[in-house]
């Protein structure tokens, strides 16, 4: 089956409210293994690693994994899958800024790439390659001002992949 690619991007360049910051303990260099039996962790790590590979190839510093950001990325992917929408704005939880603020993630810059795919052999590679072919997504992925990221994936029963990568520069 021939796959299709749909991608989206939101890049916000403003500050947020005074919500509490995420503790440094939630920031690591790779996805947490708090869900060791979850097969999506490996896929999420592959997206994260491929994004960092693209940055390294261009001399841009690698992103650091942020568990709290990854949790929001996973939540957004799940919500898109379950509620049947594909957008940066969740009909119930709002846009990225509102979603991050609601859980106390403090940032000075944030952005989000989303991807939906069905039918391709390697959704991870096709997702990151799709972002790299899109000027706005590429700009977000390669933005040297972003220093932390998290990836979340959801797979529907009919194998639609929903991939969200959120980028931040923390306060």
């Amino acid at each position: 089956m021939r796959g299709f690619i749909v991608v989206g991007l939101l890049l916000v360049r403003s500050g947020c409210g005074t919500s509490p910051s995420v503790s440094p303990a939630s920031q690591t260099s790779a996805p947490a293994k708090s869900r060791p039996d979850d097969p999506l962790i490996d896929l999420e790590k592959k997206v994260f690693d491929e994004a960092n590979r693209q940055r390294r190839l261009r001399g841009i510093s690698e992103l650091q994994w942020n568990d709290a950001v990854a949790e929001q990325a996973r939540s957004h992917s799940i919500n898109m899958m379950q509620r049947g929408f594909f957008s940066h704005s969740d009909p119930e939880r709002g846009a990225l800024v509102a979603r991050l603020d609601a859980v106390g993630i403090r940032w000075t810059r944030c952005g989000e790439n989303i991807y939906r795919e069905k039918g391709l052999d390697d959704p991870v590679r096709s997702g990151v390659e799709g972002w790299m072919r899109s000027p706005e997504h590429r700009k977000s992925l390669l933005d040297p001002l972003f220093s932390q990221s998290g990836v979340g994936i959801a797979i529907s029963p009919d194998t639609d992949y929903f991939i969200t990568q959120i980028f931040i520069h923390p306060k």
Side-chain angles (χ1 to χ4, degrees), residues 130-149:
W131 291 335
M132 290 301 291
R133 284 190 303 269
S134 163
E136 289 301 314
H137 296 88
R138 178 185 176 98
K139 183 177 173 183
S140 182
L141 196 146
L142 300 178
D143 188 331
L145 297 177
F146 289 134
S147 59
Q148 297 179 7
S149 182

Side-chain angles (χ1 to χ4, degrees), residues 28-57:
T28 62
S29 61
K33 296 298 181 184
S34 60
R35 306 170 302 210
D37 57 336
D38 185 345
L40 294 180
I41 290 173
D42 287 337
L43 288 175
E44 291 165 348
K45 183 179 182 331
K46 286 178 183 178
V47 171
F48 180 75
D49 289 346
E50 181 60 21
N52 270 335
R53 186 180 79 79
Q54 293 294 332
R55 291 170 69 93
R56 277 192 315 273
L57 287 172

Side-chain angles (χ1 to χ4, degrees), residues 45-113:
K45 183 179 182 331
K46 286 178 183 178
V47 171
F48 180 75
D49 289 346
E50 181 60 21
N52 270 335
R53 186 180 79 79
Q54 293 294 332
R55 291 170 69 93
R56 277 192 315 273
L57 287 172
R58 290 154 181 86
I60 302 166
S61 62
E62 291 188 16
L63 298 162
Q64 295 299 307
W65 183 267
N66 182 306
D67 287 332
V69 171
E71 185 177 325
Q72 292 311 302
R74 171 84 69 104
S75 179
H76 191 63
S77 289
I78 290 170
N79 287 339
M80 287 191 295
M81 177 191 69
Q82 290 178 342
R83 295 193 198 124
F85 71 94
F86 183 75
S87 174
H88 293 287
S89 185
D90 182 312
E92 292 182 15
R93 296 174 57 229
L96 177 61
V97 171
R99 289 183 272 130
L100 294 177
D101 287 350
V103 296
I105 296 173
R106 294 186 61 195
W107 51 272
T108 58
R109 182 180 185 84
C110 67
E112 176 178 71
N113 284 349

